[in-house]
Amino acid sequence: MEQTQNITYSNAFPIETALEMILMFDKEGKILYANAQARQKLEYENDLCGRHISDIFPNTFQNYKEDLETEFFHQAEIQNLVAYRKNTTCFPVEARLTKSDSNPEVYICMASDILEREFLGREIERIKQESEEAMKVKSEFVANVTHELRTPVNGILGNIRELKNHEMDEVIARSLNLVERCCDDMNKIINNILDFSKLEAGKFILEPRRFHFRNMLEYVKANHINKITEKGLDFFMTVSPQIPEYIIGDELRIVQILNNLLSNAQKFTSLGKITVEVFRTAQVNDKIELFFVVSDTGVGIDKGDKGKLFQSFSQVDASISRKYGGTGLGLNICKQLVELMGGRIDVESEKNRGSNFSFSIWVGICEGEEDILQRPDDIKNPLSMSGTAVSHEENGKDPEAARKYGTRENRENINRTLSKLILCVEMENWEKAEMFMETVRQLTEEAPWEVKRVVLRLKMAIQKENYEKVTAEFETLQQFL
Ligand code: ADP
């Protein structure tokens, strides 16, 4: 506690611990209060209070009698002020002078040491340069080490594949398969480390080019289907017909994100199904936004652990890395790649009920594709693999209008489907609810993004068979409609 003649502030008060020197003085120039920084820099103990302000700033305040007001208060800042220490040495400061709000008889001078500020500025610049240099050295080191590691691993892999062409007994074949798998895992880790260090150093460059979107998805599916079915899990993939055949993007990196999410889904699911869904959610000129959802019915993630997921080197708990392996870099790399593609990645998960990882990215569309996308044929087509085309005969109305979001027919159709859907939910017929959900999703395909977002959340809640969430999202959706 600092005792002044008539002003007291405790250490908990920001003025007392401020980085600037703060002096308060009365209209006669008598110092009433000096904060810790002022006492320390001016090398006084508690004897600063009671002195005259001109003892500290003799050049500025020497002529001061009673017109401090006219002399200084038209200036917001006083440049080139010189502050004198107790031992009469001095240093330049920059200061501001104001009147106290609570007491107009009290003046406040806030001053900072110019030399110290300049010194700190230079220090910050130096540290920044040093850390940039260290980062550069580190990424070069990582690049070299990973390259050095990759060469022998690929050498081993090549030899194993060569050996596998020869006749051998079952035991040796099994061992070779194991070594091959270890090498593949090692390659994955090496690639992850390399990507991570490039992303961290801001040296990662996307390589967009034209590619066949559905072929890319087939390739991703082929990568995982064996492992998924070996575990007895179901696999479904749904792609909106609104997505053109060819798009322009970094195919390799989109595959990498999907591979990572699907490997995790497969790794952490032992019962149920894994689904991949892709939607076109927005278009601006020749760019479209794609929205991917990878869902599983696996172990799920605790609410408290969600924040850790996309951080580097983060595994939800140590037992996971022991049981399933991994470096905890995968999701962080996915996040950075998704952000480079102009999107974001998110997760919705519940312990023991599964996870939905969703991400959006912006990709280019090829010349001429824009017209094709607008063709009503595409809008009419039911989603591939969904088998749940909307039955327009049911209400005998114009199918075009029923699909066109915002029309009366469309609204009626959605409302009718939603009431059937909620009935199924009440009866816990989740499979049928999912079917109606798909119809709602198709009917809202042209809806604004806010509506589509609620539809997707409702869909996820139904997939998870979460009654409370379904009713909450249902109500939100009804408000939109
Ligand atoms: P790694 O590169 O080691 O596979 P990731 O960054 O991909 O690590 O994942 C980090 C952690 O996130 C995993 O160890 C796991 O705890 C959790 N996780 C990721 N996906 C899922 C999922 N589908 N279900 C449950 N947990 C998951």
Side-chain angles (χ1 to χ4, degrees):
M1 200 72 135
E2 164 65 7
Q3 271 305 334
T4 67
Q5 210 165 337
N6 36 9
I7 303 177
T8 307
Y9 291 118
S10 80
N11 269 341
F13 207 73
I15 284 183
E16 179 58 17
T17 50
L19 292 176
E20 274 188 313
M21 295 185 277
I22 298 175
L23 296 156
M24 293 182 186
F25 50 98
D26 65 13
K27 58 188 177 55
E28 260 92 50
K30 192 171 79 183
I31 297 174
L32 306 172
Y33 167 77
N35 73 345
Q37 182 73 331
R39 297 195 303 273
Q40 191 221 324
K41 289 214 66 90
L42 300 167
E43 298 178 3
Y44 283 87
E45 304 279 320
N46 284 339
D47 50 344
L48 196 48
C49 295
R51 284 184 175 263
H52 197 270
I53 190 71
S54 62
D55 289 349
I56 311 300
F57 304 112
N59 302 339
T60 311
F61 290 98
Q62 61 188 349
N63 297 326
Y64 156 71
K65 301 250 179 337
E66 278 190 357
D67 58 350
L68 186 72
E69 192 133 342
T70 50
E71 185 121 4
F72 293 111
F73 276 92
H74 59 281
Q75 288 177 276
E77 280 196 358
I78 312 170
Q79 305 281 346
N80 306 323
L81 206 67
V82 179
Y84 279 74
R85 301 186 184 91
K86 193 175 183 179
N87 63 9
T88 68
T89 59
C90 61
F91 56 98
V93 296
E94 202 174 79
R96 269 171 297 141
L97 206 58
T98 52
K99 260 188 200 177
S100 161
D101 283 342
S102 53
N103 184 355
E105 305 268 283
V106 173
Y107 299 102
I108 305 170
C109 175
M110 286 172 276
S112 52
D113 183 337
I114 295 174
L115 293 180
E116 190 178 77
R117 225 176 42 199
E118 280 172 3
F119 171 76
L120 283 178
R122 277 199 304 275
E123 271 298 280
I124 291 169
E125 192 50 38
R126 188 183 61 78
I127 292 168
K128 213 172 116 205
Q129 269 175 13
E130 270 180 20
S131 68
E132 273 167 12
E133 189 59 29
M135 189 78 148
K136 205 171 131 214
V137 172
K138 193 184 90 180
S139 36
E140 272 165 18
F141 171 77
V142 172
N144 286 341
V145 169
T146 42
H147 180 73
E148 290 301 317
L149 281 171
R150 194 182 274 168
T151 314
V153 173
N154 284 337
I156 300 169
L157 259 180
N159 279 292
I160 293 167
R161 283 171 190 157
E162 172 61 31
L163 279 175
K164 279 173 77 176
N165 290 330
H166 295 82
E167 283 278 308
M168 67 188 80
D169 68 39
E170 213 179 297
V171 181
I172 296 181
R174 216 178 304 132
S175 298
L176 277 186
N177 281 339
L178 197 71
V179 178
E180 188 181 15
R181 216 138 142 201
C182 292
C183 287
D184 281 337
D185 286 349
M186 199 121 91
N187 258 339
K188 270 184 216 149
I189 295 171
I190 293 169
N191 290 338
N192 266 356
I193 295 174
L194 198 58
D195 284 347
F196 176 73
S197 75
K198 271 199 212 153
L199 282 162
E200 234 198 350
K203 282 193 187 156
F204 197 96
I205 297 164
L206 290 175
E207 287 172 19
R209 59 174 188 81
R210 182 176 178 267
F211 67 93
H212 194 284
F213 185 67
R214 285 167 184 78
N215 282 357
M216 180 274 290
L217 289 176
E218 279 306 317
Y219 170 74
V220 172
K221 181 177 162 187
N223 277 344
H224 298 272
I225 196 72
N226 285 347
K227 279 188 180 169
I228 291 176
T229 46
E230 263 168 34
K231 287 183 91 172
L233 303 169
D234 288 328
F235 181 77
F236 301 99
M237 192 182 260
T238 316
V239 187
S240 162
Q242 296 270 35
I243 300 170
E245 269 194 47
Y246 285 91
I247 59 166
I248 301 163
D250 192 330
E251 182 181 12
L252 205 73
R253 299 306 173 177
I254 300 173
V255 168
Q256 184 176 350
I257 300 166
L258 286 168
N259 273 345
N260 195 88
L261 296 183
L262 276 170
S263 296
N264 282 346
Q266 177 261 116
K267 198 151 78 165
F268 296 108
T269 309
S270 47
L271 213 69
K273 63 180 177 190
I274 292 172
T275 56
V276 176
E277 290 156 288
V278 196
F279 311 95
R280 189 185 77 153
T281 43
Q283 177 165 356
V284 178
N285 302 328
D286 58 350
K287 295 255 181 288
I288 54 171
E289 186 191 45
L290 299 181
F291 188 76
F292 297 74
V293 186
V294 178
S295 316
D296 65 60
T297 51
V299 296
I301 299 147
D302 234 20
K303 252 201 188 109
D305 290 325
K306 273 195 218 164
K308 286 194 241 162
L309 274 190
F310 298 103
Q311 290 167 14
S312 43
F313 308 109
S314 163
Q315 304 261 354
V316 164
D317 67 55
S319 64
I320 284 188
S321 54
R322 277 198 299 276
K323 185 169 169 194
Y324 299 103
T327 51
L329 281 180
L331 286 178
N332 178 270
I333 293 171
C334 287
K335 179 173 181 277
Q336 298 199 55
L337 290 177
V338 162
E339 283 168 2
L340 277 180
M341 296 186 205
R344 51 172 292 177
I345 188 164
D346 251 317
V347 62
E348 283 215 17
S349 183
E350 224 176 295
K351 197 83 191 142
N352 301 322
R353 299 202 68 159
S355 313
N356 292 305
F357 281 86
S358 58
F359 66 94
S360 56
I361 53 169
W362 282 89
V363 294
I365 47 175
C366 312
E367 234 172 275
E369 291 275 18
E370 206 169 333
D371 300 339
I372 297 166
L373 289 177
Q374 303 307 330
R375 260 189 4 216
D377 258 6
D378 279 343
I379 300 166
K380 260 193 287 181
N381 276 343
L383 283 185
S384 56
M385 296 165 87
S386 68
T388 52
V390 189
S391 164
H392 300 297
E393 292 77 15
E394 202 178 71
N395 54 20
K397 292 202 175 116
D398 174 18
E400 273 310 303
R403 283 194 170 272
K404 211 163 170 44
Y405 184 79
T407 59
R408 191 170 52 82
E409 284 89 339
N410 175 275
R411 215 173 26 244
E412 281 174 8
N413 221 345
I414 297 174
N415 277 328
R416 197 173 316 111
T417 318
L418 275 177
S419 35
K420 288 181 198 159
L421 180 151
I422 206 72
L423 200 72
C424 292
V425 172
E426 296 290 353
M427 290 160 72
E428 293 192 23
N429 188 343
W430 294 102
E431 228 165 84
K432 211 149 186 197
E434 242 182 88
M435 219 179 77
F436 286 121
M437 186 63 236
E438 183 51 34
T439 308
V440 174
R441 202 196 58 69
Q442 289 183 40
L443 288 169
T444 49
E445 195 133 59
E446 291 182 347
W449 181 220
E450 312 87 77
V451 178
K452 289 214 264 199
R453 216 189 295 263
V454 185
V455 169
L456 285 177
R457 280 204 297 261
L458 178 61
K459 188 175 157 99
M460 288 176 192
I462 290 176
Q463 281 171 349
K464 293 234 200 73
E465 302 181 7
N466 182 335
Y467 182 83
E468 280 79 28
K469 234 178 168 166
V470 167
T471 46
E473 299 298 352
F474 178 79
E475 271 167 30
T476 319
L477 187 57
Q478 277 201 321
Q479 276 164 23
F480 271 118
L481 298 169

